[in-house]
Amino acid sequence: MDMNIQKYMAFISTVEYGSFTKAAKLLNYSQSGISRMINDLEKEWGISLLERGRSGVRLTSDGMKLLPYAKNVCREYQKLQIQVDELNGLQSGLIRIGTFSSVATHWLPNVIKEFQKDYPNIEYELLLGDYTEIESWILEGRVDCGFLRLPTIPELETIFLEQDKLLVVLPEEHSMADCEYFPVKALADSPFLLLGKDENSEAAEIFKRCGISPEIHFTTWDDYAIMSMVESGLGISILPELILRRIPYRIVAKEMEVPAYRKIGVALKDKKSASMAVKRFLDYIEYR
């Protein structure tokens, strides 16, 4: 620690506790060491900071004027040390992320690329799963944070990131491939390929809300399997716009006449107790 900072802390502690003895005990110095540091300050500044007496010490008028500045210097020094410690802690480490395929494919490469520029020695572990699996991984501590559809379970802390439009995907030769907006009722007119594993999927929620019951021929959590099957004419589906970027499949994506969206966020079990690497990583999500 800088010697001047030590002197300022000796001065502040002596004033706060009213004696050299108590300040020495707090700062782990001898009483004479505390007294000597304050004497050095008084010589350097050419003023008297404290009045000494049998009942202890108290500030002089000059000391009273300078005390707030000394406190401010010490506060700023502590902030500096926190930043130094944080940066040292980011020289290595592991960030474990739960995610689904569209975020892993289209967001995380950009985020990690920017993060690595500043913290090149951090390692990453990506676990791909559905929303329910990612929620469980976060709660169990298997991952440090995870990307989810919001709202999620109340036990998690979340940060909203973006609203992702849901689109109907059709084979190029489908009779409604040229329509401007796809009628929701028409979802029941073709075999349906469901992205998801249960009634909580985005498409299932649309069916429930609109009172329709499509004939579901296939269910999976693999976006790309859905797109390949749509391309082959096996049915139609509903997919998030995010996964439909830069796709190699010959399919058509259409907005629905009643717009639908999913809200994407990042979730943690407890942001305050997250590692510094994870906290800093969250700051880079804007680069998605």
Side-chain angles (χ1 to χ4, degrees):
M1 184 186 295
D2 183 272
M3 190 60 198
N4 281 329
I5 298 295
Q6 290 177 320
K7 293 175 184 177
Y8 299 159
M9 292 179 66
F11 170 44
I12 294 166
S13 298
T14 300
V15 172
E16 290 179 345
Y17 288 90
S19 79
F20 295 121
T21 303
K22 291 180 181 178
K25 185 176 181 181
L26 175 72
L27 299 176
N28 200 27
Y29 285 100
S30 65
Q31 180 178 335
S32 60
I34 294 292
S35 179
R36 184 170 59 253
M37 284 191 279
I38 294 176
N39 286 335
D40 288 345
L41 277 181
E42 291 177 322
K43 289 178 183 178
E44 290 172 17
W45 293 345
I47 58 175
S48 176
L49 296 171
L50 300 173
E51 292 180 358
R52 285 84 165 166
R54 290 184 179 180
S55 59
V57 297
R58 61 189 183 90
L59 283 167
T60 64
S61 58
D62 289 337
M64 194 174 295
K65 290 179 181 178
L66 294 177
L67 180 63
Y69 295 98
K71 286 183 175 180
N72 188 58
V73 169
C74 289
R75 277 195 298 268
E76 294 303 315
Y77 178 79
Q78 288 173 342
K79 291 178 184 178
L80 172 64
Q81 285 301 115
I82 289 171
Q83 292 300 313
V84 170
D85 292 342
E86 288 180 359
L87 291 172
N88 284 332
L90 287 169
Q91 296 309 307
S92 62
L94 173 67
I95 300 175
R96 302 165 304 161
I97 305 167
T99 183
F100 43 90
S101 56
S102 54
V103 167
T105 303
H106 299 294
W107 282 5
L108 283 176
N110 294 329
V111 175
I112 292 173
K113 178 182 178 181
E114 292 300 321
F115 191 72
Q116 279 192 327
K117 290 179 182 178
D118 295 325
Y119 308 107
N121 297 319
I122 297 293
E123 297 179 357
Y124 310 86
E125 180 182 353
L126 301 185
L127 270 68
L128 268 68
D130 61 34
Y131 304 135
T132 302
E133 289 173 326
I134 297 169
E135 289 169 346
S136 297
W137 292 338
I138 298 171
L139 287 175
E140 296 165 2
R142 179 65 184 84
V143 297
D144 300 303
C145 62
F147 292 87
L148 290 170
R149 181 185 62 178
L150 302 182
T152 183
I153 55 178
E155 294 87 346
L156 300 180
E157 293 186 25
T158 60
I159 302 169
F160 170 74
L161 298 176
E162 201 166 297
Q163 190 165 258
D164 189 19
K165 186 176 291 186
L166 299 173
L167 303 175
V168 178
V169 288
L170 315 165
E172 288 184 338
E173 65 277 8
H174 193 278
S175 60
M176 301 193 69
D178 294 327
C179 70
E180 184 175 2
Y181 294 99
F182 194 90
V184 176
K185 296 294 183 181
L187 291 169
D189 297 337
S190 301
F192 196 88
L193 311 174
L194 181 67
L195 176 67
K197 293 182 179 178
D198 52 38
E199 68 279 359
N200 294 321
S201 69
E202 284 96 356
E205 290 179 358
I206 293 172
F207 302 156
K208 184 177 181 180
R209 186 169 66 248
C210 298
I212 58 176
S213 300
E215 184 181 351
I216 298 174
H217 280 209
F218 186 81
T219 301
T220 181
W221 189 250
D222 188 330
D223 319 73
Y224 295 99
I226 292 282
M227 286 185 271
S228 180
M229 290 184 178
V230 170
E231 181 184 53
S232 297
L234 297 176
I236 66 174
S237 188
I238 293 175
L239 294 178
E241 188 173 29
L242 181 60
I243 197 62
L244 295 170
R245 297 178 184 175
R246 304 195 309 272
I247 57 170
Y249 301 98
R250 296 171 56 208
I251 57 178
V252 176
K254 293 292 179 179
E255 291 188 36
M256 286 179 276
E257 60 181 0
V258 180
Y261 304 86
R262 67 171 175 177
K263 293 181 179 180
I264 302 175
V266 63
L268 305 88
K269 189 173 182 180
D270 181 10
K271 189 175 180 180
K272 289 183 179 179
S273 63
S275 71
M276 187 49 57
V278 171
K279 290 178 180 177
R280 194 58 56 85
F281 178 80
L282 296 178
D283 294 335
Y284 283 70
I285 292 179
E286 65 183 60
Y287 291 103
R288 63 186 183 277

